[in-house]
Amino acid sequence: SELPANEMLSSFAVQRLYILEHPSLDHYSTQSYIQALTWLMRQSTPLLIAASATPDGRDWTPRFAAQQHLPFVPACLSFDLRDDAIYAFRALYDGRAYAQTQTPTHNHTALVTLVPGLRGAPTRPAQPSSQSHPLEVTRLTPSISAETAATSGQLRHIAIQAPSPEEVELSVAERIVAGGRGVGQEGFT
C-alpha cells in the first residue's frame, strides 16, 4: 500500500525505505527489535539508523549500539552526518545548557536518537537532482529466533491502555490550549 510520507521522503532525496514486518514486532520487545535490526544490517549497510528517544528507544538503542560496536549519539535535538562524523546538538541538565558534539563514525553505521516532540523538517539537498527517483519501499520479514519471538517466557503482552486526555502530561501533549481570566467560553471557541 502507498505510504502517506512517500512524497515527503522523496522530496528529501530518500531513495530507499525498508519496512520490517514480523509478528514479534507487533508489540515492543528489546530482543526482538535488536534481532530484527541486526538481521537488517546483515542485508545492507546503512549509513545511519535514527530512532526516537522514547522509553522504548532509550531501551534498545544503547544495547544495539554496544552489541554492534556502532558510534551512538543519544537524545539529539538535531544532527548532521558529514565528514565521517555525527555532528549533534544536544540539551544538557534538563535543557539548561546545550552542547554541539562531534562523534567520529570511522565508516561504520551511525546510530542516533532524536528527542520526541521536535518540530521542523530535515534539510533538503542543496542541489535537487535533475533525475527524480521514485521512493523504493521494500517490505522485509526479518529472521527472529523462536525463543526471542516467544520472549523466553519472561514477558507477556496483556493490553495497551491509553491514558485519558486529562492524564496526558503537558511535555508530551500534541496541542496545548490556554487562556487567561476573561477569555470566557467564546474565546476558546
Side-chain angles (χ1 to χ4, degrees):
S1 67
E2 194 70 19
L3 296 170
N6 275 7
E7 189 174 307
M8 181 198 69
L9 291 173
S10 294
S11 72
F12 292 111
V14 173
Q15 295 176 359
R16 279 183 227 102
L17 175 65
Y18 295 98
I19 299 174
L20 300 183
E21 300 173 317
H22 193 282
S24 297
L25 300 174
D26 288 347
H27 302 290
Y28 178 72
S29 159
T30 306
Q31 288 307 315
S32 294
Y33 273 48
I34 290 173
Q35 274 197 17
L37 284 167
T38 300
W39 177 87
L40 179 63
M41 283 189 60
R42 284 191 204 117
Q43 311 307 308
S44 65
T45 307
L47 291 174
L48 173 74
I49 296 174
S52 184
T54 61
D56 291 345
R58 290 191 309 266
D59 178 49
W60 70 264
T61 52
R63 296 167 198 255
F64 180 66
Q67 286 180 13
Q68 299 298 315
H69 307 287
L70 302 179
F72 174 51
V73 183
C76 299
L77 298 172
S78 67
F79 74 92
D80 190 13
L81 188 61
R82 68 176 193 281
D83 304 328
D84 198 28
I86 306 165
Y87 294 85
F89 186 63
R90 301 178 62 209
L92 305 172
Y93 309 116
D94 290 329
R96 290 186 199 95
Y98 297 93
Q100 180 79 38
T101 64
Q102 176 186 1
T103 305
T105 60
H106 303 292
N107 293 316
H108 288 92
T109 298
L111 177 61
V112 299
T113 60
L114 291 164
V115 174
L118 292 176
R119 300 293 186 251
T123 306
R124 293 180 189 269
Q127 297 274 337
S129 69
S130 56
Q131 303 173 11
S132 177
H133 297 287
L135 178 65
E136 178 186 321
V137 178
T138 305
R139 295 178 184 276
L140 301 169
T141 302
S143 175
I144 297 176
S145 72
E147 290 132 12
T148 300
T151 62
S152 305
Q154 296 172 358
L155 298 173
R156 184 168 53 101
H157 175 76
I158 297 171
I160 295 176
Q161 182 176 353
S164 69
E166 295 82 29
E167 295 173 2
V168 174
E169 294 181 29
L170 289 179
S171 62
V172 295
E174 185 176 325
R175 208 173 271 128
I176 299 170
V177 178
R181 190 180 352 192
V183 171
Q185 191 69 8
E186 295 162 3
F188 282 105
T189 305

